[in-house]
């Protein structure tokens, strides 16, 4: 059955990027192992540990659509038209791009509408969410089913927090499924309703 999933790398003090949107401190686990994991785009091949490989492969293979905001879309340049998961992009924005050369769905009427569009695109596959604002809005709307965190043993001290502005609180989660990698601990939580 299709789930709506947030999948992020996060510092121990709760940041998904530094103040300048940098992620270098958080993405080292993508290249610290001996197991090659190819993405769905030949531009990206990862080398992770044998513990992290099934986790990463699962995240890449289960995504049937990716919902992100315009800020992340612009910051990544739309992943050049192909996210590493190969999933079609659904972008929540007030300003659709008129001349974007790659297939993308722009949604101007909010996160619930974008998630509904992404579910239709994904079919039985998961809907992945990218960007903290999109994740928070989906969580506040009761649309998020699962949170996957790649917890990195670093304290950034400042940056972009994963969950800074929740309106529905507390949010209760299941006990975590835990996978120990090298310089990363993978955590999977179900959102309890």
């Amino acid at each position: 059955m299709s789930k709506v999933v947030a999948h992020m790398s996060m510092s121990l003090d709760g940041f998904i990027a530094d103040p300048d949107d940098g992620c270098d401190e958080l993405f080292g686990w993508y290249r610290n192992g001996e197991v090659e994991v190819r993405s769905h785009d030949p531009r990206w091949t990862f080398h992770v540990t044998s513990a992290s490989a099934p986790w990463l492969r699962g995240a890449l293979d289960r995504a049937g659509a990716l919902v992100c905001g315009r800020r992340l879309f612009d910051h990544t340049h739309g992943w050049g038209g192909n996210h590493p998961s190969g999933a079609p992009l659904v972008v929540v924005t007030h300003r659709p791009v008129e001349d974007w050369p790659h297939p993308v769905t722009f949604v101007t009427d909010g996160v619930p509408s974008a998630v509904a569009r992404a579910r239709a695109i994904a079919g039985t596959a998961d809907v992945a969410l990218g960007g903290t604002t999109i994740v928070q809005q989906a969580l506040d709307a009761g649309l998020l089913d699962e949170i996957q965190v790649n917890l990195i043993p670093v304290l950034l001290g400042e940056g972009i927090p994963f969950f800074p502005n929740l309106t529905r609180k507390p949010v209760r989660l299941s006990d975590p499924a835990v996978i120990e990698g090298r310089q990363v601990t993978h955590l999977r939580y179900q959102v309890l309703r």
Side-chain angles (χ1 to χ4, degrees):
M1 168 141 183
S2 175
K3 293 185 288 188
V4 178
V5 178
H7 182 107
M8 298 270 201
S9 290
M10 181 181 79
S11 67
L12 188 59
D13 53 348
F15 297 105
I16 57 95
D18 68 26
D20 298 319
D21 283 322
C23 300
D24 290 346
E25 292 287 343
L26 303 175
F27 286 177
W29 72 275
Y30 285 116
R31 57 187 179 279
N32 73 358
E34 62 286 344
V35 179
E36 182 178 275
V37 176
R38 293 182 181 180
S39 77
H40 294 269
D41 183 309
R43 293 176 294 170
W44 292 295
T45 298
F46 307 103
H47 293 88
V48 297
T49 64
S50 58
S52 293
W55 171 270
L56 179 56
R57 173 58 50 215
L60 292 170
D61 289 349
R62 284 191 304 267
L66 172 69
V67 178
C68 69
R70 179 65 188 268
R71 183 175 179 275
L72 181 59
F73 179 80
D74 287 347
H75 180 71
T76 62
H77 307 289
W79 292 276
N82 194 14
H83 186 268
S85 68
L89 296 178
V90 178
V91 180
V92 181
T93 183
H94 297 293
R95 303 171 289 114
V97 178
E98 299 299 328
D99 58 349
W100 182 248
H102 307 287
V104 65
T105 302
F106 291 102
V107 175
T108 59
D109 55 345
V111 170
S113 179
V115 169
R117 295 281 293 277
R119 280 188 186 276
I121 292 167
T124 59
D126 289 346
V127 172
L129 302 181
T132 61
T133 302
I134 300 301
V135 171
Q136 290 175 41
Q137 289 180 32
L139 190 57
D140 288 338
L143 299 171
L144 188 61
D145 299 308
E146 185 172 288
I147 299 172
Q148 298 176 6
V149 177
N150 307 307
L151 188 62
I152 310 304
V154 65
L155 300 171
L156 293 180
E158 62 180 342
I160 299 170
F162 199 165
F163 298 105
N165 299 310
L166 295 175
T167 58
R168 259 186 47 200
K169 37 192 170 189
V171 175
R172 291 189 173 75
L173 307 173
S174 68
D175 289 334
V178 181
I179 298 171
E180 267 188 63
R182 182 180 307 133
Q183 292 296 298
V184 61
T185 302
H186 306 291
L187 304 165
R188 177 180 290 119
Y189 299 91
Q190 303 307 312
V191 177
L192 302 178
R193 293 188 170 85

